[in-house]
Amino acid sequence: MYAPLPTAERRAQSRPRSLPLRGLFGLTEDDRDQVSDLLVAKLAQVAAVWPFTLAIQVVACALLFALAAVDVTRVPGRIGGIAIHAGVLAIGSLLVFATVRLPAFGALAAHKRNQIVTLCAAALAATLTSLLWAITSAPDGPVQFASAIAVGGVLGITALSLHPIRAAALGFSAALVATLAILAGPCIPVAIALVFLGCLVAAIISLARIDHALELDRATASIEGRIAVKMIAEFEDHGAGWFWEADRQGRVTYLSAKVAHDLAPGGSAVGRSLPELFRMDNDAPGTERTLAFHISSRTSFADYSVCAAAAPDSERWWSISGRPVVDDLGRFQGFIGSGSDLTEKRKSEAEITRLALFDGLTGLANRQRMRVSLDKTLAQNTGPYRATSLFLMDLDRFKAVNDTLGHQAGDTLLQQVAQRLQRGVGDAGLVGRLGGDEFKVVLPGIDNRDTLAALARDLIASLSQPYFISGTAVTIGCSIGVAIAPDDGATSETLVRNADLALYAAKGDGRGVHRFFSDDMLAGARTRKLLEDDLRVAVTEGAFHLCYQPVVSTKTVRIVGYEALIRWNHPTRGLVSPADFIPVAEECGLIEAIGEWVLRTACIEAARWPDTIRVAVNVSPIQFANPVLPALVTSALAQSGIAPGRLELEITEGVFLDETRSSEQMFKALKGLGVRLALDDFGTGYSSLGYLRNAPFDKIKIDQSFVKGAAEPGNRNAAIIKAIVTLADTLGMETTAEGVEIQDEIDLLRNLGCTHIQGYVYGRPIRAEEALVQLGLENGTATASGFKVSRAPRTKMLRSARILIGGVRGDVRIRDISTSGAMLDGLRIDGNPDGVELQIELLEDQMIPARVRWARDGKAGIEFHEAFNLERLNQGQASRIRRVG
Ligand code: C2E
Ligand code: MG
Ligand code: MG
């Protein structure tokens, strides 16, 4: 609360003009300073007036002396005349001094003051001299004097309207001059007295005018002052601003009440120094010096952010500005300034900062903050060595949760994930969310691979525990890519890129695992880039062709249709598997163009087949998400002229990872065209069956991983196939078993209720013309070929391996493996492949000898020289293998 100063004290501090003589002794040093300042100012004023005034007075008195000396016969003695004149001089001087002390006098310009003082002094001296001269020399003086006083009184009363004292002086003087004129008659002294009287009148009129102007000024100033005080009070009470004033030592002499209350709760802010009351926010922009510095250096400051020094934890913040105040003579008087409340502004700034640096949903650091933090941490590495590790994390199956349970559940899940991550990482690093289901962890000072691997495993385990969201238990997974600075990158760009590559590898290795960045990942990425470049060229040059694999009815054993499968025969790479280039085409946006070409070509080529034969075309989830797909299908049908019912679109479960609403509309639109829809690779991707309720599929294609080995005794795949077939039957859908290679699987599948079979057992993918020929043979009846009985059980693998063949090293992909052999992708052998010797690196640094049994379309079957114990694979690299059979 503001404690007002006693009025007298405030006036003394705010307007220290008068000279407090009584305080000259026993005053403080500051007061003494003020007193000495005032004395100097006064002396300067007087000095500006006196010399000139004295000169005039001396001249005037000398003239009078001369007059007195001339008419000395009428003066009682020369000595008496001189004494009279000397007395007059003294009185005149005193009057001048008194005039100088008039308050209004100080406001006048120096030359005006001189004129007035001179006139006053000369006129008074002259009139008094003449009066005394006349009184002492005339016999009937008293009578005449009395009548003159009466005349003067009348004049004086008339002049009262000007100023009482001046009017009295004027009247009195006029009366005396009149008396002199009557007594002395026309003579030189009377003329002089009249002249001086005229001067006196002029001076008094002039003074009156000045007084009037000053009075007007004062009245205006006082009105303005009152308004200003009112407005300041209003501003202080209701506005955000306040004022302060400090003395030369920076001690507060005035402070608006509301701020005073916050600064000195229960005490008084007055008398305390600014730095004692305010604590500065040194981090605020534009804050260069301390308040103490400005006070001692007497310099102004602006917009400093301060809070109450007494309550540093308070949320109240102000902006304070101040400037030094100097008096007319340029002497420093103290400080005056203003302030405004910054609390709300700082709160909204803090909110903006929070929004700019933190993820709104989870409260974790956002992408921007993570980037800055990583940059900072890496910058520290230039000093004493400090390693930094980076985790890039991606949730597995998060989109499924979003789609099935809704976005709100997805949000809740992300919040819970964030909490588990925070808990898991603790103080070891900074956790952030990059957006969607991507998270990042910066771990300064950790580069031990074992520690990092343990942390990654813990995080994956923790995130894979069930979440309970609105009464439903939800389980997701998590893949982590790890990069360690400076080995894996000294800049944030490189480190993030490499962690991203490691994450890509983790996902490629079956998800739910962590991978450390290694140089071959970068090489893999470069290879992908090269493949992408080649793919672009292939698209523009039309380097693809289609092959068709027969789909056979289990009931009639006749070909009912063909699946169109794209083939790319690269001039140097050879035949590139669609399993390799389709994902790249999807990543780089070429799939739209490729997909359109496949659709149009398949329809045109199928148009040459009998009307009963269908054609199945694979549609990528990216194509499926594009609303132009129905128009494209319509156009392809129209262009080729085939009936919509002959076209079957194969869609993988991947489409359900997208927005449910839009996929629903797409299903509707496609069904509206009359085309058939098949669910490809059923059971390999998406874990929820919920989508089958609404998606209008005509067929489910059971993935070959369920078919392989189904005919072997004790294999549980048959049970799974049975379940799928039952499900499809119930929903009124057909079933195609994919990848059937063994003849005894045909009967099994027929017995299990599968309606169709597709696989090498009935034929490999062939050209459209060959298909036409095939359809003509035996009226389209399919002939089974290949192994009659199942081989050793095979394990499906998703990994690449080095091979050594004829002294040349190369990379292949292992599709499946058994104790006796393996199926490879990406192996081309010129000439007869059968019996070609090779070595394959199944275990790290262990080349296993094998021979090629067959090779076709970039695929090859190899046979190990010795039976290979699959357990060895599991021991070393269990996480790299996905067992499906
Ligand atoms: P998919 O649609 O499941 O196609 C079946 C894949 O299994 C084909 O591989 C086919 O050659 C292979 N296959 C058929 N029978 C057997 C068998 O008995 N044993 C074995 N081991 N494999 C068999 P392909 O042609 O390499 O295609 C691989 C995948 O690439 C396809 O799987 C499909 O997802 C994709 N794909 C192929 N052509 C296209 C296309 O035109 N567009 C799109 N979007 N994807 C395509
Ligand atoms: Mg397919
Ligand atoms: Mg398939």
Side-chain angles (χ1 to χ4, degrees):
M1 180 89 117
Y2 165 57
L5 282 175
T7 319
E9 205 177 320
R10 279 204 64 197
R11 204 181 294 137
Q13 285 176 341
S14 60
R15 197 171 54 81
R17 301 279 182 260
S18 63
L19 178 63
L21 287 171
R22 61 178 166 76
L24 266 176
F25 303 100
L27 291 177
T28 63
E29 200 178 306
D30 185 43
D31 291 339
R32 259 187 234 124
D33 271 0
Q34 286 200 25
V35 170
S36 61
D37 284 352
L38 284 170
L39 274 175
V40 170
K42 278 295 165 207
L43 287 174
Q45 278 182 2
V46 175
V49 175
W50 273 105
F52 187 65
T53 314
L54 278 173
I56 299 290
Q57 280 176 315
V58 167
V59 172
C61 290
L63 189 69
L64 290 170
F65 270 121
L67 284 171
V70 169
D71 206 358
V72 76
T73 51
R74 302 182 81 171
V75 179
R78 199 172 279 254
I79 301 301
I82 292 168
I84 288 166
H85 283 290
V88 167
L89 181 63
I91 292 168
S93 302
L94 272 174
L95 281 172
V96 169
F97 186 71
T99 320
V100 170
R101 298 284 312 216
L102 285 174
F105 192 84
L108 295 176
H111 70 278
K112 280 222 160 163
R113 284 197 295 254
N114 288 341
Q115 284 169 13
I116 293 163
V117 168
T118 309
L119 282 173
C120 288
L124 280 167
T127 45
L128 284 172
T129 307
S130 303
L131 168 72
L132 290 168
W133 187 6
I135 290 171
T136 51
S137 58
D140 53 350
V143 179
Q144 311 292 356
F145 182 57
S147 62
I149 285 174
V151 177
V154 173
L155 274 172
I157 288 162
T158 316
L160 265 179
S161 58
L162 297 172
H163 191 287
I165 297 168
R166 284 178 213 146
L170 183 67
F172 185 60
S173 306
L176 291 179
V177 173
T179 309
L180 173 66
I182 293 162
L183 292 180
C187 63
I188 292 172
V190 168
I192 293 169
L194 281 171
V195 169
F196 280 115
L197 181 63
C199 291
L200 183 64
V201 169
I204 284 179
I205 289 171
S206 171
L207 267 179
R209 275 212 193 122
I210 290 163
D211 277 355
H212 183 63
L214 283 175
E215 195 54 44
L216 273 182
D217 282 357
R218 258 200 297 276
T220 317
S222 124
I223 291 168
E224 284 173 355
R226 271 202 305 277
I227 292 171
V229 167
K230 246 195 211 163
M231 284 166 80
I232 287 173
E234 185 73 14
F235 184 72
E236 286 181 340
D237 289 346
H238 302 294
W242 43 272
F243 301 98
W244 62 274
E245 194 183 41
D247 63 16
R248 297 155 66 100
Q249 270 69 44
R251 283 185 308 249
V252 169
T253 52
Y254 173 78
L255 187 65
S256 297
K258 59 181 180 179
V259 181
H261 174 73
D262 285 340
L263 286 173
S268 169
V270 171
R272 296 168 66 180
S273 75
L274 280 188
E276 208 182 310
L277 291 172
F278 295 108
R279 188 175 66 82
M280 281 180 56
D281 176 8
N282 295 321
D283 295 336
T287 311
E288 286 127 27
R289 313 274 189 182
T290 59
L291 282 177
F293 169 84
H294 287 287
I295 300 294
S296 59
S297 64
R298 298 175 180 181
T299 50
S300 53
F301 53 91
D303 301 328
Y304 277 12
S305 292
V306 291
C307 67
D313 297 333
S314 144
E315 288 189 345
R316 268 215 116 50
W317 283 89
W318 299 278
S319 162
I320 185 172
S321 302
R323 63 172 178 82
V325 180
V326 289
D327 65 7
D328 296 346
L329 293 167
R331 301 289 301 237
F332 172 68
Q333 296 299 310
F335 274 87
I336 191 162
S338 61
S340 58
D341 199 321
L342 273 188
T343 314
E344 287 311 315
K345 192 173 164 230
R346 277 179 77 104
K347 270 188 190 162
S348 50
E349 275 172 7
E351 182 62 11
I352 290 167
T353 311
R354 201 184 64 73
L355 289 176
L357 294 179
F358 292 91
D359 174 47
L361 179 66
T362 59
L364 294 178
N366 66 6
R367 183 183 286 274
Q368 167 73 11
R369 180 152 180 241
M370 289 306 285
R371 193 188 171 80
V372 171
S373 150
L374 183 60
D375 281 342
K376 265 193 193 160
T377 319
L378 290 177
Q380 286 172 9
N381 285 341
T382 52
Y385 172 77
R386 275 187 85 205
T388 300
S389 296
L390 177 68
F391 279 14
L392 272 192
M393 317 178 67
D394 203 280
L395 302 183
D396 306 327
R397 298 186 299 281
F398 169 72
K399 286 199 173 70
V401 176
N402 239 1
D403 289 348
T404 46
L405 297 179
H407 286 276
Q408 211 158 0
D411 286 355
T412 315
L413 177 63
L414 288 173
Q415 284 165 345
Q416 294 190 19
V417 165
Q419 285 167 8
R420 291 188 193 184
L421 272 177
Q422 285 273 43
R423 261 203 309 274
V425 174
D427 296 335
L430 180 68
V431 183
R433 176 173 170 238
L434 306 182
D437 59 349
E438 286 176 39
F439 293 85
K440 189 176 187 178
V441 183
V442 175
L443 297 154
I446 307 178
D447 65 346
N448 183 296
R449 285 180 169 249
D450 293 338
T451 314
L452 291 169
L455 178 61
R457 272 195 297 271
D458 286 351
L459 291 181
I460 292 170
S462 155
L463 296 190
S464 307
Q465 297 297 314
Y467 299 80
F468 293 95
I469 297 166
S470 341
T472 315
V474 177
T475 313
I476 53 161
C478 166
S479 310
I480 302 183
V482 188
I484 306 167
D487 290 353
D488 298 343
T491 64
S492 59
E493 282 83 20
T494 325
L495 204 63
V496 168
R497 185 203 62 193
N498 291 346
D500 206 23
L501 286 172
L503 175 62
Y504 187 84
K507 286 195 211 166
D509 285 350
R511 298 171 181 266
V513 290
H514 71 275
R515 286 289 169 264
F516 284 95
F517 168 75
S518 63
D519 289 338
D520 55 331
M521 288 175 187
L522 193 57
R526 293 208 174 108
T527 312
R528 262 201 312 281
K529 179 76 181 72
L530 290 178
L531 187 66
E532 184 186 320
D533 294 344
D534 284 356
L535 207 51
R536 285 186 198 282
V537 176
V539 169
T540 46
E541 290 179 353
F544 305 108
H545 68 269
L546 291 183
C547 279
Y548 298 88
Q549 185 175 36
V551 180
V552 177
S553 159
T554 47
K555 215 187 209 163
T556 61
V557 199
R558 286 172 67 170
I559 297 167
V560 294
Y562 287 88
E563 176 175 5
L565 294 162
I566 192 166
R567 293 290 174 260
W568 176 25
N569 202 351
H570 188 266
T572 54
R573 294 173 185 272
L575 210 57
V576 187
S577 165
D580 290 334
F581 73 82
I582 292 289
V584 177
E586 284 175 340
E587 271 172 34
C588 69
L590 286 173
I591 193 67
E592 301 277 359
I594 295 175
E596 179 173 353
W597 176 85
V598 171
L599 184 67
R600 289 188 187 280
T601 312
C603 287
I604 288 169
E605 295 190 330
R608 289 186 287 154
W609 301 336
D611 287 349
T612 51
I613 304 299
R614 294 185 193 131
V615 64
V617 173
N618 291 288
V619 173
S620 152
I622 292 172
Q623 284 175 276
F624 194 79
N626 191 339
V628 304
L629 182 64
L632 180 66
V633 172
T634 313
S635 162
L637 290 172
Q639 190 185 11
S640 62
I642 65 166
R646 285 182 63 197
L647 177 63
E648 192 165 81
L649 301 179
E650 292 193 6
I651 297 145
T652 57
E653 291 162 311
V655 298
F656 300 106
L657 298 179
D658 214 34
E659 290 290 309
T660 321
R661 253 204 96 55
S662 58
S663 56
E664 242 176 61
Q665 282 165 357
M666 181 57 80
F667 278 123
K668 233 184 186 164
L670 293 174
K671 276 316 285 175
L673 297 178
V675 295
R676 286 166 58 90
L677 299 175
L679 179 58
D680 204 356
D681 303 341
F682 180 76
T684 55
Y686 198 55
S687 56
S688 164
L689 288 178
Y691 59 84
L692 278 180
R693 266 198 312 256
N694 307 321
F697 288 113
D698 299 285
K699 178 189 270 185
I700 291 177
K701 295 189 79 176
I702 305 168
D703 189 70
Q704 50 178 287
S705 56
F706 296 111
V707 177
K708 297 259 181 282
E712 289 160 16
N715 192 298
R716 296 164 79 173
N717 276 0
I720 295 172
I721 295 171
K722 180 72 199 157
I724 298 174
V725 169
T726 313
L727 178 74
D729 275 351
T730 319
L731 296 170
M733 300 174 187
E734 297 176 347
T735 38
T736 297
E738 289 189 274
V740 184
E741 292 179 350
I742 316 293
Q743 292 192 25
D744 59 5
E745 287 171 352
I746 298 175
D747 285 338
L748 173 81
L749 292 165
R750 186 183 295 115
N751 294 337
L752 288 174
C754 252
T755 56
H756 297 89
I757 281 176
Q758 181 182 349
Y760 295 164
V761 74
Y762 283 127
R764 291 175 179 275
I766 48 174
R767 295 290 192 129
E769 307 80 49
E770 295 174 81
L772 194 55
V773 176
Q774 195 177 47
L775 286 168
L777 297 174
E778 295 178 39
N779 215 3
T781 305
T783 327
S785 62
F787 293 105
K788 286 249 182 314
V789 287
S790 296
R791 297 174 308 193
R794 273 163 291 174
T795 301
K796 187 160 185 175
M797 294 190 80
L798 298 167
R799 62 166 274 205
S800 51
R802 296 205 182 98
I803 59 161
L804 190 61
I805 182 163
V808 179
R809 283 189 182 277
D811 284 314
V812 290
R813 271 172 79 92
I814 305 175
R815 296 288 292 247
D816 56 43
I817 187 166
S818 72
T819 50
S820 59
M823 216 263 271
L824 309 179
D825 242 353
L827 183 64
R828 252 169 57 104
I829 293 171
D830 298 329
N832 181 11
D834 198 5
V836 173
E837 290 293 330
L838 58 82
Q839 288 190 325
I840 183 160
E841 190 183 25
L842 290 181
L843 296 169
E844 216 164 312
D845 296 332
Q846 283 190 39
M847 302 302 279
I848 309 290
R851 73 177 62 85
V852 180
R853 297 281 22 150
W854 58 266
R856 205 176 302 117
D857 299 343
K859 292 186 172 60
I862 60 165
E863 189 181 61
F864 303 133
H865 285 192
E866 288 173 14
F868 180 75
N869 182 2
L870 292 183
E871 284 303 311
R872 293 174 66 198
L873 281 180
N874 297 344
Q875 281 160 11
Q877 304 167 49
S879 56
R880 297 183 67 148
I881 299 170
R882 191 158 58 114
R883 281 191 173 278
V884 286

